[in-house]
Amino acid sequence: EESLQMWDLNKRLEAYLARVKFLEEENEVLRAEIQSTKSSPAGDSWRVKYEEELRALRDALDHAFREKCTAELARDNLYEEVQQVKSRCQKEQAAREEAKKQLSLSKKELEEERRAQIWLKERAVQLEKELEALLEVHEEEKAGLDQEIASFSHSLESFRCAPVAFQPVEVEDYSRRLSEIWKGAVETYKAEVSQLEGSLCQAKENLWKAVEDNQQSQLQLQHLEKDLAGLKARKEMLEESLAQQWQEQRGEAEKFQALAMEALEQEQQSLRVQIARVLEDRQQLMHLKMSLSLEVATYRTLLEAESTRLQTPAG
């Protein structure tokens, strides 16, 4: 029985030793595979792939940063253009105010010209009335002079002496003076009438000029209002496009950052899974090696005990 037990123990020991050797060889093979995996082209390709992905993500981030810089530059240009539009609007507003002031001044001048025209018309009517009164007085004086001349002619017919003929000479002198006075009054009236007509023409010209200036100011004001409306619409459109571009750039940057973070997290998770798997395999191998070492030590002690027992003398 003891020899059979020893034989069985030897067989089991051989099996355990063969299994230990096989496991050690397998451990070496696995270690070599791990080393080869670390230094193999596949690992290099995986690392190269990982570096390529990182490089692509970095390029995408650089592209997004460049687009962001371009968008900021476009935003600054749009801001400068908006400032220029604002300054132009302010200038046009000032021009509009100046046109309004000129329009008010033109209206005042127009009112003054109208008043002057009314005064001139009233003055012309007054002078016409004075001329009619002077004509009536002249007619009356002329009629009185005719009557006097007629009475003097009747009185002269009764006298034939020379000294009496002196009175018609005085009457003629008086008539001549009256005609000269009348001519002077008529010329004075004509001069005043021509002066009034000249001032009236000047007032009409000033009135037409004020009306034309008013029309031009109104047209200029309408053009300025149209330009202001167009500039306001352009400003709103530029602000909307700027806000839209800013939102798009921000969304793209957030999207690229999210994709990069997601790819890095996936890569980190896969690396953690691989490291955990390798550690688990190594832990299993260590446990198996420890168990085999314990069995080997147990059988060794059994064999040493059996050999000592067999070597002891029979007595």
Side-chain angles (χ1 to χ4, degrees):
E1 282 178 26
E2 289 178 356
S3 63
L4 289 173
Q5 289 178 358
M6 288 298 297
W7 184 73
D8 190 12
L9 288 173
N10 288 327
K11 291 294 184 183
R12 290 178 64 186
L13 180 60
E14 287 178 0
Y16 279 115
L17 291 174
R19 184 171 177 79
V20 167
K21 187 175 181 181
F22 175 72
L23 290 173
E24 287 180 353
E25 290 177 355
E26 191 176 2
N27 192 7
E28 292 294 332
V29 171
L30 289 173
R31 187 176 296 154
E33 286 180 357
I34 290 169
Q35 293 294 329
S36 63
T37 303
K38 288 182 179 179
S39 62
S40 64
D44 293 335
S45 65
W46 177 79
R47 185 175 297 172
V48 168
K49 184 179 179 181
Y50 176 70
E51 289 178 354
E52 287 179 354
E53 289 179 356
L54 285 176
R55 193 179 296 109
L57 291 173
R58 287 173 182 172
D59 292 334
L61 288 174
D62 293 334
H63 183 67
F65 182 73
R66 286 194 296 271
E67 288 182 352
K68 181 181 177 182
C69 293
T70 306
E72 288 178 354
L73 184 60
R75 182 189 65 186
D76 294 334
N77 292 327
L78 289 173
Y79 181 74
E80 290 179 356
E81 191 172 356
V82 167
Q83 292 296 324
Q84 291 178 0
V85 169
K86 285 182 179 179
S87 64
R88 187 175 177 184
C89 288
Q90 290 176 358
K91 290 180 180 178
E92 290 184 355
Q93 188 71 24
R96 184 178 177 182
E97 294 294 332
E98 187 67 24
K100 286 182 178 179
K101 289 180 181 179
Q102 291 180 359
L103 182 61
S104 63
L105 292 173
S106 299
K107 287 181 179 179
K108 289 180 181 179
E109 291 178 356
L110 182 62
E111 292 294 331
E112 291 177 356
E113 292 294 334
R114 286 178 180 174
R115 291 175 184 174
Q117 187 178 5
I118 292 169
W119 181 80
L120 289 172
K121 287 181 179 178
E122 292 177 353
R123 181 66 177 166
V125 172
Q126 186 178 0
L127 289 173
E128 287 178 356
K129 289 180 180 180
E130 290 178 358
L131 180 60
E132 290 176 357
L134 289 172
L135 289 173
E136 289 178 357
V137 171
H138 179 67
E139 290 294 333
E140 291 176 356
E141 290 179 354
K142 187 177 180 182
L145 289 172
D146 290 333
Q147 290 178 0
E148 289 179 359
I149 290 168
S151 62
F152 279 127
S153 63
H154 287 296
S155 61
L156 287 172
E157 287 178 358
S158 60
F159 295 100
R160 292 182 179 178
C161 58
V164 182
F166 181 74
Q167 293 181 356
V169 176
E170 292 179 356
V171 171
E172 290 177 358
D173 190 10
Y174 182 71
S175 177
R176 184 174 56 78
R177 288 180 181 178
L178 285 175
S179 64
E180 289 177 358
I181 291 168
W182 170 249
K183 287 180 181 179
V186 170
E187 288 177 358
T188 304
Y189 174 73
K190 287 181 179 180
E192 289 180 356
V193 169
S194 63
Q195 186 178 1
L196 288 173
E197 287 179 354
S199 62
L200 183 62
C201 292
Q202 186 68 29
K204 286 182 180 180
E205 289 179 359
N206 293 328
L207 180 62
W208 283 110
K209 187 176 180 181
V211 171
E212 289 178 356
D213 292 336
N214 190 7
Q215 291 178 357
Q216 290 179 1
S217 299
Q218 288 180 357
L219 291 174
Q220 188 177 2
L221 184 62
Q222 290 177 0
H223 287 300
L224 289 174
E225 287 178 353
K226 288 181 181 179
D227 293 335
L228 182 62
L231 290 172
K232 285 182 179 179
R234 182 175 174 82
K235 178 184 176 183
E236 291 177 357
M237 183 176 68
L238 289 173
E239 288 179 352
E240 289 178 359
S241 63
L242 179 62
Q244 187 176 1
Q245 288 181 0
W246 179 253
Q247 289 293 119
E248 289 178 356
Q249 293 295 328
R250 187 175 180 181
E252 289 179 358
E254 289 179 355
K255 186 177 179 181
F256 279 120
Q257 288 180 359
L259 290 173
M261 292 297 294
E262 186 177 359
L264 290 173
E265 287 179 356
Q266 290 179 358
E267 192 68 28
Q268 187 178 4
Q269 191 67 27
S270 63
L271 289 174
R272 285 179 181 176
V273 170
Q274 291 179 2
I275 291 168
R277 190 179 298 167
V278 172
L279 290 174
E280 187 178 359
D281 293 336
R282 288 185 66 184
Q283 191 173 2
Q284 288 179 0
L285 288 173
M286 291 294 293
H287 283 297
L288 184 60
K289 186 175 180 181
M290 288 175 66
S291 62
L292 290 174
S293 298
L294 289 173
E295 288 184 0
V296 169
T298 304
Y299 283 110
R300 188 174 292 168
T301 53
L302 288 174
L303 288 172
E304 288 178 355
E306 186 65 25
S307 64
T308 54
R309 188 178 66 81
L310 292 173
Q311 290 177 2
T312 54

